[in-house]
Amino acid sequence: MFKKEINTAPKSKLKSSVQRSLRQSLLSTYPLLNPYIDEILPKKGSLESMKLPDRCTLYVLDSQPLFFQHDTSTLLPHLRLVHRFPSAFPSIRIDRGAIRFVLSGATLMAPGLTSAGGRLPSGAVTERGEGEGLDEDERWKRELEKGEPVIVRAEGKTEACAVGFLLMGTKEVKEKGKGPVIEDAHYLGDGLWRLNTD
């Protein structure tokens, strides 16, 4: 989605009613952000939006990119925010062999997740929000559904390397073991990562 360089666009301040609705949308999509929401979006903070190519909007607070949205779809966290609060977002892990492909903007394929170094959710938790998180084997505890936003971690690395929407549920990925899992992801080093938001 952001493979090319993005030119800096003017920022516009958001009304407090829009900020409140964004806050509610964030908490319903990412319930584990609840303890950190006042740090991410302070009530007196001045949230700004920046229009990007392809009908995309980036939300910025004090020159820090927070979330972006394509059209009116679900808000996706910017990787800089994911690096600040890694445990607040559902995640999957790719093996070492898939890292270079993901960081070049390629579609994430199932074999990168089903191999020995990959980690798909364990399915130990069925309800969203309560008890979610990573287990001792670094697997997300709840199975993720098709269309759900997800963070991509890499084997042997501490920071997340990409964020995107699942093209198929994690249960289906385990059963099939092939096919595309995430495409059009925001990844480290892409145009959105390098965008100057000052």
Side-chain angles (χ1 to χ4, degrees):
M1 187 186 301
F2 302 108
K3 285 184 183 179
K4 295 182 180 151
E5 199 69 38
I6 300 173
N7 294 324
T8 310
K11 292 184 272 190
S12 56
K13 291 195 184 306
L14 295 174
K15 293 181 189 174
S16 58
S17 59
V18 175
Q19 288 187 42
R20 276 193 305 276
S21 70
L22 278 172
R23 186 183 180 103
Q24 282 310 113
S25 175
L26 281 178
L27 290 176
S28 64
T29 308
Y30 308 104
L32 297 178
L33 273 181
N34 222 346
Y36 316 110
I37 195 67
D38 288 327
E39 189 179 336
I40 296 168
L41 289 174
K43 289 206 161 89
K44 298 287 182 197
S46 174
L47 191 64
E48 299 173 308
S49 70
M50 185 186 276
K51 297 285 183 205
L52 302 177
D54 301 325
R55 297 187 309 275
C56 227
T57 306
L58 176 67
Y59 297 101
V60 179
L61 180 75
D62 300 330
S63 297
Q64 284 291 318
L66 297 178
F67 289 86
F68 65 96
Q69 187 173 31
H70 187 71
D71 280 337
T72 55
S73 67
T74 306
L75 290 164
L76 274 175
H78 192 282
L79 278 171
R80 294 189 197 280
L81 182 70
V82 173
H83 293 167
R84 281 173 54 203
F85 306 102
S87 62
F89 304 99
S91 66
I92 55 178
R93 190 176 90 181
I94 56 174
D95 63 14
R96 292 179 194 278
I99 296 172
R100 66 186 176 112
F101 296 108
V102 170
L103 294 182
S104 65
T107 298
L108 175 59
M109 305 300 277
L113 297 164
T114 55
S115 67
R119 293 284 183 273
L120 284 164
S122 64
V125 174
T126 54
E127 289 297 311
R128 190 177 194 145
E130 258 330 287
E132 273 191 281
L134 291 174
D135 63 16
E136 61 282 344
D137 196 29
E138 291 190 37
R139 292 180 190 277
W140 195 252
K141 293 179 186 173
R142 179 179 59 84
E143 291 287 355
L144 305 173
E145 303 295 321
K146 177 181 179 176
E148 208 172 325
V150 68
I151 305 307
V152 180
R153 296 174 299 109
E155 180 185 11
K157 307 290 180 199
T158 54
E159 304 286 352
C161 62
V163 58
F165 292 107
L166 288 171
L167 297 176
M168 66 170 111
T170 53
K171 206 170 194 171
E172 191 182 344
V173 173
K174 290 177 196 173
E175 290 166 5
K176 283 187 177 176
K178 61 182 180 179
V181 180
I182 298 174
E183 62 183 10
D184 288 339
H186 158 44
Y187 56 92
L188 285 175
D190 69 1
L192 185 60
W193 176 261
R194 294 190 310 268
L195 178 66
N196 182 9
T197 53
D198 290 335

